[in-house]
Amino acid sequence: MGRGSGVFYGCGSTSIRRGGLLQRCSPRRFRARVAGVFPSSCTALVVLLVSSALVMLLLRKAGDVALRTKTVAGHNLEPTPWHLFPPKEDAVSGGKAESFSRASRILRCSYLTCPASSSFWVATSSSSSLSSRCRKNKGTPNGKTQQRQCPPFFLSIHRDLDPWRQSRISAFTLAAAKEHAAMRVLIVGGRLYVDLYYACVQSRAMFTLWGLLQLLQRYPGMVPDVDLMFDCMDRPAVLRSDYESGDSAGSRWPPPPLFRYCTTKDHFDIPFPDWSFWGWPEINVEPWDEEFKSIKLGSQARPWALKHDVAYWKGNPDVDSPIRMELLNCNDSKVWGAKILRQNWVEEAKSGFQESKLSNQCNHRYKIYAEGYAWSVSLKYIISCGSLALLIDPQYEDFFSRGLIPRENYWPISRANLCKSIKSTVLWGNAHPTE
Ligand SMILES: *[C@@H]1O[C@H](CO)[C@@H](O)[C@H](O)[C@H]1NC(C)=O
């Protein structure tokens, strides 16, 4: 304790004994002067005490407000009523908490409140233009050579947005989409605003928004204003049949424009790249750039000839997925040529994810993809392994899977006769190593 705090202490303790703070303190003024940093009279001390009490009160109020404030981490939000999940406190605990808080700090400090980064919002646009590069693949009038074309599967975007081509999107239609949305995202003049309605499971909301913020940072001045409703839970919600046919369907047109991570042929939901492209800390998955590099390295550990000659799947079968349950029945290397392993995420988290590293799962010639509760983010990691990907007839499409070509990028496996279908593919593949 320094001398200053000695004065403070002396004053407080004597006042208790003699009663009356002012009385007892006045003769001791000189000590305060010696200390230099404390008020020169007890009146000032009272002012100090009152003001610090006020500051404390203010801080507590601020704390209350902070506690009640809705955040992208979703601590003060209810889960979406259409897909319930355990409260946030349970999801973010133990070892996961560290990477989670690291991620949220990066997010905050990169984009939200850190003053140093505020200049990023007014950064001027660079000379390359996203919009000129990503128009429909028509001929470009000014010099075809320097223009990079969008991959053909970007054309799916036109199909996704087709329902609103004629009708456009009114505030009324957007309000209908809000009924299924966990958040509303507004981009105006290169700034992102978000209105949070419900919590998203784990850190999905945060990583999804982070993706959008990176887009704004990477293409300053090129991202048009947008007002979109987003549901971050798994299954699509806007059924085509509710809007396309039947007597009442006509009056309901257009359907609500709702973004999410996947869709199906029977839905109007608009697919958006899933959050795991920017990271999924709860299960130790790095952002795509890093994860992809490490998987590529892992895939080179064994040449094809030395990879195990069976089909491999590891995941969580307990996600209300009939196909994954059925897959468990094919777990026999000799009989079905398949090795099916159960992923226990709770155990994995405890042991530091040593057994679930994606880069260590590229040692088999065949990797099976099976949908979970809806689409599965595992698809991109499975395909990155460089093994032959065996895709069990997917029902859901995500943003990128629409670009995959059967028998070129993957081998289709039928749901009927699942084990037999896997076995015959494995046998054929092993017999034709050069194909
Ligand atoms: C599949 O079989 C292997 C070897 O018999 C076993 O270790 C593994 O636990 C089985 N997988 C499941 C999901 O039961």
Side-chain angles (χ1 to χ4, degrees):
M1 274 194 174
R3 286 151 81 197
S5 50
V7 174
F8 205 34
Y9 178 80
C11 197
S13 60
T14 45
S15 71
I16 293 165
R17 263 181 276 124
R18 305 278 173 110
L21 189 66
L22 286 173
Q23 269 174 7
R24 189 61 200 137
C25 273
S26 294
R28 293 199 166 199
R29 248 190 230 167
F30 72 97
R31 288 188 64 179
R33 246 179 269 125
V34 171
V37 289
F38 277 88
S40 56
S41 75
C42 273
T43 318
L45 186 60
V46 169
V47 171
L48 180 76
L49 284 174
V50 168
S51 56
S52 43
L54 273 176
V55 168
M56 291 295 285
L57 200 71
L58 212 68
L59 281 178
R60 180 182 285 190
K61 279 281 164 223
D64 283 352
V65 171
L67 277 177
R68 276 184 278 115
T69 301
K70 300 181 203 169
T71 65
V72 288
H75 292 88
N76 296 312
L77 294 163
E78 296 293 319
T80 53
W82 50 88
H83 188 155
L84 298 169
F85 53 87
K88 288 289 178 176
E89 285 69 31
D90 295 355
V92 185
S93 61
K96 285 174 281 181
E98 195 194 320
S99 53
F100 180 84
S101 70
R102 185 174 54 119
S104 80
R105 206 166 49 243
I106 293 171
L107 174 69
R108 264 201 336 268
C109 282
S110 303
Y111 302 103
L112 300 178
T113 50
C114 285
S117 68
S118 58
S119 60
F120 125 77
W121 294 113
V122 291
T124 49
S125 127
S126 70
S127 57
S128 70
S129 159
L130 177 69
S131 55
S132 72
R133 276 189 280 141
C134 274
R135 290 211 183 96
K136 245 179 166 175
N137 290 349
K138 286 175 186 159
T140 43
N142 50 343
K144 308 159 209 143
T145 42
Q146 103 268 26
Q147 301 275 354
R148 239 177 62 204
Q149 299 276 321
C150 279
F153 68 87
F154 269 56
L155 286 175
S156 305
I157 295 171
H158 296 272
R159 201 185 69 204
D160 295 336
L161 301 179
D162 207 47
W164 301 276
R165 193 186 299 280
Q166 299 295 325
S167 67
R168 322 301 285 178
I169 295 168
S170 65
F172 180 78
T173 342
L174 207 59
K178 187 188 169 190
E179 299 298 307
H180 309 273
M183 60 187 167
R184 174 186 184 183
V185 176
L186 269 164
I187 294 173
V188 182
R191 267 174 182 268
L192 184 139
Y193 304 84
V194 59
D195 202 356
L196 302 160
Y197 304 135
Y198 294 106
C200 300
V201 73
Q202 297 184 341
S203 51
R204 289 180 181 195
M206 185 166 79
F207 280 86
T208 303
L209 291 170
W210 194 10
L212 282 164
L213 289 169
Q214 287 182 45
L215 179 77
L216 290 172
Q217 190 178 42
R218 203 175 279 197
Y219 300 102
M222 282 178 262
V223 180
D225 291 355
V226 68
D227 184 349
L228 59 88
M229 294 292 176
F230 202 105
D231 179 23
C232 51
M233 300 313 288
D234 289 350
R235 283 191 180 161
V238 189
L239 259 179
R240 273 175 186 266
S241 57
D242 285 350
Y243 299 88
E244 263 181 351
S245 52
D247 291 340
S248 63
S251 61
R252 300 184 68 187
W253 192 263
L258 183 68
F259 285 79
R260 70 166 63 252
Y261 307 123
C262 75
T263 192
T264 80
K265 295 201 163 29
D266 300 325
H267 290 88
F268 280 127
D269 300 65
I270 307 165
F272 182 93
D274 75 72
W275 76 96
S276 65
F277 280 98
W278 297 280
W280 188 356
E282 287 88 350
I283 60 163
N284 206 35
V285 167
E286 300 282 345
W288 174 248
D289 281 352
E290 286 151 51
E291 197 65 56
F292 178 63
K293 261 184 230 144
S294 112
I295 293 175
K296 268 281 156 274
L297 278 178
S299 75
Q300 288 154 7
R302 282 167 191 252
W304 175 268
L306 294 182
K307 287 188 196 278
H308 304 300
D309 59 0
V310 296
Y312 178 92
W313 184 84
K314 183 169 186 176
N316 181 5
D318 310 312
V319 288
D320 193 10
S321 158
I323 200 67
R324 288 189 177 182
M325 292 316 284
E326 209 179 317
L327 193 56
L328 295 177
N329 301 328
C330 312
N331 185 25
D332 196 311
S333 304
K334 298 244 156 50
V335 181
W336 301 119
K339 190 169 161 186
I340 311 298
L341 297 179
R342 196 177 261 277
Q343 180 80 269
N344 184 336
W345 284 118
V346 178
E347 285 302 312
E348 271 303 292
K350 281 187 199 149
S351 65
F353 301 99
Q354 283 314 303
E355 300 302 314
S356 63
K357 276 190 85 69
L358 295 167
S359 52
N360 294 342
Q361 295 181 33
C362 297
N363 293 329
H364 295 78
R365 292 184 189 172
Y366 314 92
K367 290 265 295 178
I368 299 168
Y369 169 78
E371 288 180 331
Y373 182 68
W375 100 110
S376 165
V377 308
S378 62
L379 179 60
K380 55 185 172 301
Y381 310 119
I382 287 170
I383 291 195
S384 310
C385 263
S387 310
L388 180 60
L390 311 184
L391 265 62
I392 304 171
D393 190 20
Q395 315 276 294
Y396 298 89
E397 307 174 342
D398 73 359
F399 187 81
F400 292 103
S401 63
R402 284 112 39 104
L404 297 174
I405 302 161
R407 289 164 202 266
E408 197 169 304
N409 303 121
Y410 69 90
W411 198 264
I413 296 287
S414 87
R415 285 179 182 247
N417 295 320
L418 181 62
C419 301
K420 272 191 186 159
S421 189
I422 292 172
K423 183 183 186 174
S424 61
T425 307
V426 167
L427 285 178
W428 189 89
N430 287 338
H432 299 81
T434 54
E435 296 281 330

